[in-house]
Amino acid sequence: AEGCGGSLTRVCAVGETRVEQGRSAGTLENRPKILLSSPGDSDVRAMAERETPIGEASRSPVPQENGLSAPPRFSFSAQPTLEDIRRLQAQFTDERDWNQYHQPRNLLLAMVGEVGEVAELFQWKGEVAEGLPDWPEHERKQLAQELSDVLIYLVELAEKCHVDLPRAVLEKMDINRQKYPASKVHGSAKKYTEYQD
């Protein structure tokens, strides 16, 4: 997708981006660094410089199961935060006078379209392993871009609906803990209504 209703990466992305390639192969320098080129965003530009390639953020230890070490869990970079993303996207749309188009219904439909583009990448592949080890690098990068489009639209939709997304997530996770107590649901995929006493 190319236009404002399509891929955010090209037209509606969080700030304009350019990719710099380093010189030496096999080192961190040859990995793409995404630099935000919006004026006045030097703080965000600095945090957006990536030393970790897409899909290789830090790993967190996982509790051991049956005495065996579980593989480390993937974890996101600490920055940018959702608020950073919201602010950058707001600046991006303000600079282009696109708020007239970025209303809740339009943002929702655009986000659904981007989810469709994510689904298209998985279509006909069958089940895939965590970390997508069999995917070629260009497909992994495309997935990262499409998931970014979904997140950007989601954050902007939450902004336009005045939903404080980080707080809403914490509240929802608390509700889920109550609906799905670990003592009752451990290892089961049943719906919470099937666990009522």
Side-chain angles (χ1 to χ4, degrees):
E2 289 290 335
C4 184
S7 175
L8 284 176
T9 306
R10 293 181 192 89
V11 177
C12 302
V14 175
E16 297 173 7
T17 61
R18 60 181 159 77
V19 176
E20 288 187 355
Q21 282 296 107
R23 292 181 197 91
S24 57
T27 65
L28 288 176
E29 288 81 37
N30 75 331
R31 295 177 180 155
K33 291 183 179 180
I34 300 174
L35 303 175
L36 301 173
S37 59
S38 298
D41 275 334
S42 59
D43 58 329
V44 180
R45 185 178 306 117
M47 75 180 167
E49 289 189 7
R50 299 179 59 102
E51 290 298 333
T52 305
I54 293 169
E56 292 183 30
S58 61
R59 302 277 175 170
S60 302
V62 176
Q64 293 186 351
E65 297 178 17
N66 301 328
L68 301 174
S69 294
R73 282 200 176 135
F74 176 86
S75 63
F76 297 123
S77 304
Q79 294 182 334
T81 65
L82 285 180
E83 175 56 21
D84 293 330
I85 294 168
R86 185 210 60 76
R87 185 174 53 82
L88 287 168
Q89 180 63 8
Q91 177 184 354
F92 186 82
T93 55
D94 287 347
E95 290 171 349
R96 289 153 183 82
D97 191 24
W98 283 352
N99 278 306
Q100 58 187 317
Y101 310 115
H102 286 210
Q103 297 306 309
R105 180 183 173 277
N106 291 340
L107 291 167
L108 172 62
L109 294 175
M111 183 177 69
V112 169
E114 295 300 338
V115 170
E117 292 190 25
V118 172
E120 186 178 5
L121 293 173
F122 285 86
Q123 190 174 19
W124 314 123
K125 290 188 184 290
E127 196 53 61
V128 296
E130 182 175 340
L132 313 176
D134 299 328
W135 284 35
E137 187 60 24
H138 74 277
E139 285 185 355
R140 292 167 56 83
K141 286 181 179 177
Q142 188 175 2
L143 176 63
Q145 290 177 4
E146 298 304 343
L147 288 173
S148 297
D149 289 344
V150 172
L151 178 62
I152 292 165
Y153 276 133
L154 175 63
V155 169
E156 191 172 8
L157 176 61
E159 175 194 36
K160 299 296 185 185
C161 295
H162 295 190
V163 172
D164 184 346
L165 202 51
R167 286 191 183 274
V169 166
L170 292 178
E171 289 174 14
K172 179 59 176 168
M173 291 181 81
D174 188 49
I175 290 168
N176 288 345
R177 281 188 195 94
Q178 293 173 36
K179 281 182 173 179
Y180 297 97
S183 60
K184 286 187 178 181
V185 305
H186 188 81
S188 174
K190 291 179 182 177
K191 188 171 178 169
Y192 73 96
T193 53
E194 298 180 57
Y195 293 105
Q196 300 302 318
D197 293 328

